[in-house]
Amino acid sequence: MDRPFGLVAELTYRCPLACAYCSNPVNLADYADELSTDQWLRVLAEAAELGVLQCHLSGGEPLLRRDLVDLVATANELGLYTNLVTSAIGLSRPRAEQLRAAGLDHVQISIQADEPALSDRIAGTPSFERKIEAAHVVKELGWPLTLNVVLHRKNIDRIAEVVRCAERLEADRLELANTQYYGWAWRNRAALLPSRAQLEQAEEVVRAARARLAGTMDILYVLPDYYSRYPKPCMGGWGARQLIVAPNGDVLPCLAAHSLGLPRASVHEDSLASIWTDSPLFQRFRGTDWMPDPCRSCDRRDIDFGGCRCQAFQLTGDAARTDPVCHLSPDHGIVTEAVRAANERTHEDLLTARPHRG
């Protein structure tokens, strides 16, 4: 693809929750100067002109933006399919009705577990009941509903109960995605990485649920990278399908690319089209020419594109190395050691919660 398919508009990193698995940047103060309404409207127009079809309104908590309804209305007028990615804190019926009238197409609500005590403990604030109420509002207003549950050592054993919760809420799609270890999740990896036994049990539950709910609810299950034989392609390939605009106007080819120390690209300085086509940031790992061996000579180089550049940097300090998740990587021992430690752990590590910034 020579044009991006999707735009992830990270409207703000402010959030009423304090999830210890949050993968957003730790240095939130660097993103306090958020794009204005007019600047976001320009970004949406440039995205549509560039060929973007889907706009994911995300954060942090996008409902904290008072201009959210206006942004949705403009995206709808531009012909973009809009998806609200939200904790649902603040999704009252009046606000939901405004968003429905503005043309919002889809709502994705995150829940942390299937019952109040555990969910609220993971979220760092009482929130479960409000999420459930919001999910009912979403269905009553006729939206498709996706529930997203980030899985980790603290909640994966309740995956069967999570599926039943999604059934009760009549979710159209359930995303069961194991934690990606960036941001606060990286700081909490020892406490979050599940054991192999936990994963095997979870996979068994997912297989049975998919068979039972086929045609009723789509279930997406994403393995933790650390237990995979091969890495996943980063965002479908670096600078290949999607672009991310951060709250401060930085434009990124993947959600954690801010951590790599590469030259910045910003809507304050260039258009989205110029950034997508010409910026050194988007060119750096696009395609396969940049690859070292064993990626360069691997038959999978056009499938996983060497894996995640941010994960390679996180684990080795070099974003150009083969993702250590791959069993062919010369650095794979880093991952096997983390997995060994997770499977030998007999105590419960304490989580460091992301600070509240609502």
Side-chain angles (χ1 to χ4, degrees):
M1 299 177 68
D2 59 359
R3 298 288 179 178
F5 179 80
L7 165 69
V8 179
E10 298 196 306
L11 302 181
T12 180
Y13 284 146
R14 291 174 289 142
C15 185
L17 305 186
C19 303
Y21 58 76
C22 183
S23 59
N24 281 343
V26 172
N27 53 326
L28 294 179
D30 292 349
Y31 299 88
D33 188 13
E34 298 174 1
L35 294 180
S36 67
T37 302
D38 287 343
Q39 288 170 323
W40 272 117
L41 294 179
R42 175 173 64 84
V43 167
L44 293 174
E46 290 182 1
E49 185 176 356
L50 185 55
V52 166
L53 299 177
Q54 294 184 351
C55 177
H56 304 277
L57 301 159
S58 181
E61 177 46 68
L63 287 165
L64 290 172
R65 291 281 303 213
R66 296 181 179 180
D67 56 1
L68 180 60
V69 172
D70 294 332
L71 299 182
V72 168
T74 296
N76 182 58
E77 291 168 3
L78 291 167
L80 299 175
Y81 182 91
T82 50
N83 174 34
L84 177 65
V85 183
T86 176
S87 70
I89 305 302
L91 189 60
S92 63
R93 178 174 285 276
R95 192 84 184 279
E97 290 174 345
Q98 291 175 339
L99 290 167
R100 194 71 169 115
L104 182 69
D105 293 297
H106 184 274
V107 179
Q108 174 179 315
I109 295 177
S110 68
I111 63 172
Q112 283 65 41
D114 64 288
E115 53 89 23
L118 180 58
S119 181
D120 292 349
R121 186 161 68 250
I122 294 171
T125 189
S127 55
F128 179 79
E129 297 299 344
R130 283 181 285 175
K131 290 171 179 285
I132 299 304
E133 291 172 8
H136 287 305
V137 169
V138 167
K139 294 300 295 184
E140 289 165 10
L141 293 180
W143 273 306
L145 170 64
T146 292
L147 292 182
N148 175 268
V149 185
V150 177
L151 298 174
H152 44 79
R153 193 178 189 93
K154 308 295 186 180
N155 67 358
I156 196 169
D157 292 333
R158 295 192 61 84
I159 196 168
E161 291 80 2
V162 165
V163 172
R164 285 195 286 272
C165 178
E167 288 184 79
R168 290 193 297 272
L169 294 172
E170 298 181 343
D172 301 279
R173 179 180 172 88
L174 174 61
E175 295 182 352
L176 301 166
N178 275 277
T179 301
Q180 298 291 313
Y181 294 102
Y182 310 111
W184 289 97
W186 171 251
R187 294 189 175 191
N188 286 304
R189 188 185 69 176
L192 293 172
L193 188 62
S195 69
R196 193 175 301 277
Q198 287 180 302
L199 289 172
E200 289 174 354
Q201 178 62 30
E203 290 176 33
E204 183 178 330
V205 171
V206 169
R207 281 194 299 270
R210 280 175 170 164
R212 181 171 56 84
L213 297 171
T216 301
M217 181 169 63
D218 292 330
I219 300 178
L220 173 68
Y221 178 69
V222 182
L223 271 172
D225 287 353
Y226 284 44
Y227 284 90
S228 299
R229 183 171 173 82
Y230 296 104
K232 302 177 184 70
C234 178
M235 302 292 288
W238 181 278
R241 297 182 182 178
Q242 300 194 63
L243 46 78
I244 294 92
V245 178
N248 65 348
D250 285 352
V251 186
L252 306 166
C254 78
L255 294 165
H258 57 81
S259 65
L260 301 184
L262 296 174
R264 289 180 60 199
S266 171
V267 298
H268 291 294
E269 300 165 4
D270 292 295
S271 68
L272 284 187
S274 175
I275 291 169
W276 177 264
T277 304
D278 302 318
S279 70
L281 175 61
F282 275 75
Q283 294 287 350
R284 178 63 181 90
F285 298 113
R286 181 175 272 159
T288 59
D289 289 346
W290 61 271
M291 290 181 176
D293 278 325
C295 296
R296 181 183 295 273
S297 56
C298 181
D299 292 340
R300 293 179 56 87
R301 63 183 176 276
D302 293 313
I303 299 174
D304 56 39
F305 300 100
C308 178
R309 298 302 85 224
C310 301
Q311 188 157 256
F313 180 78
Q314 187 85 269
L315 294 174
T316 73
D318 183 356
R321 291 185 71 80
T322 299
D323 188 339
V325 162
C326 182
H327 74 287
L328 299 173
S329 166
D331 304 304
H332 186 58
I334 298 172
V335 172
T336 58
E337 173 58 24
V339 169
R340 182 200 62 75
N343 283 276
E344 291 182 358
R345 188 166 297 116
T346 57
H347 63 281
E348 286 297 315
D349 298 279
L350 295 177
L351 294 169
T352 302
R354 175 191 185 275
H356 290 276
R357 293 183 183 271

